[in-house]
Amino acid sequence: MSERARRIAIPLVAFLFGLVSLGVVAVMTLTPGGREVATSDVGGPFTLTDHDGNQVTQDDFLGEPHLLFFGFTHCPDVCPTKLFEISEVLRATAEEGRELNALFITVDPERDTPESMRLYVQSFDDRIIGLTGSDEEIDAVVRSFRAYKRRVPLDDGDYTMDHTALVYIMDDQGRFVASLNTTQDPQAAAQELLGRI
């Protein structure tokens, strides 16, 4: 293998390993102790701040199904990839899904202010709403969604975050329906989404 190919392959393998690890963590989180978790056990009330600085609760998103994803704006790969996939799925739902939104909830409230969330999500689809809050508020919503987050120190003194990378489908009553596979073709994912809501 050439030096150039090796330089490309090593980060790619590391990225794929990280993606698989997040998937394993997500499954373990949603099925603690190996027991199946009922969809009704996922989600719950929350109070957060949207990317325009307004306080919102779960009730503000009732009436229309929506997607929900945990991440953070300093995420190097998984989050921008997933938000791009979500954007493509939303577009692929066309007129039938024009009222759909996606909630992007930070797992890094220390750095993710409403302003930074607004600047970040506007790079994707205007139906993606960035949500942040205090450490306590974020911890509560992560727990209620059986999600996972962990701060990971870096060698340079900075840090990154490990977190659940599931895309949650929520119905018009704010109830968890299923997770959405956004890695498939956007048209197929859009049909899967529309078929579940």
Side-chain angles (χ1 to χ4, degrees), residues 68-89:
L68 187 147
F69 175 68
F70 291 97
F72 64 114
T73 64
H74 288 71
C75 182
D77 39 44
V78 174
C79 301
T81 299
K82 193 61 65 177
L83 289 175
F84 174 75
E85 292 169 354
I86 289 170
S87 300
E88 292 297 291
V89 172

Side-chain angles (χ1 to χ4, degrees), residues 26-160:
V27 170
M28 290 171 60
T29 303
L30 285 175
T31 56
R35 70 175 180 83
E36 182 133 351
V37 175
T39 55
S40 59
D41 291 338
V42 179
F46 61 79
T47 300
L48 296 170
T49 303
D50 72 14
H51 63 238
D52 291 322
N54 302 309
Q55 188 177 76
V56 295
T57 72
Q58 71 287 343
D59 292 343
D60 291 296
F61 305 104
L62 298 182
E64 290 294 338
H66 54 276
L67 299 175
L68 187 147
F69 175 68
F70 291 97
F72 64 114
T73 64
H74 288 71
C75 182
D77 39 44
V78 174
C79 301
T81 299
K82 193 61 65 177
L83 289 175
F84 174 75
E85 292 169 354
I86 289 170
S87 300
E88 292 297 291
V89 172
L90 289 174
R91 287 188 192 95
T93 63
E95 185 63 22
E96 194 174 351
R98 66 185 172 84
E99 299 298 326
L100 287 170
N101 288 318
L103 309 183
F104 175 55
I105 302 178
T106 185
V107 293
D108 185 18
E110 181 177 323
R111 295 183 292 197
D112 287 344
T113 64
E115 174 68 8
S116 65
M117 293 290 279
R118 184 179 63 77
L119 292 172
Y120 191 73
V121 298
Q122 72 184 11
S123 302
F124 299 98
D125 189 286
D126 61 8
R127 289 175 287 177
I128 298 176
I129 301 165
L131 298 178
T132 187
S134 67
D135 287 332
E136 294 77 14
E137 288 167 340
I138 294 298
D139 287 346
V141 73
V142 167
R143 279 194 307 273
S144 74
F145 278 85
R146 303 297 180 101
Y148 164 84
K149 74 178 182 75
R150 183 172 67 90
R151 182 170 170 146
V152 180
L154 299 174
D155 292 339
D156 61 2
D158 200 1
Y159 68 92
T160 188

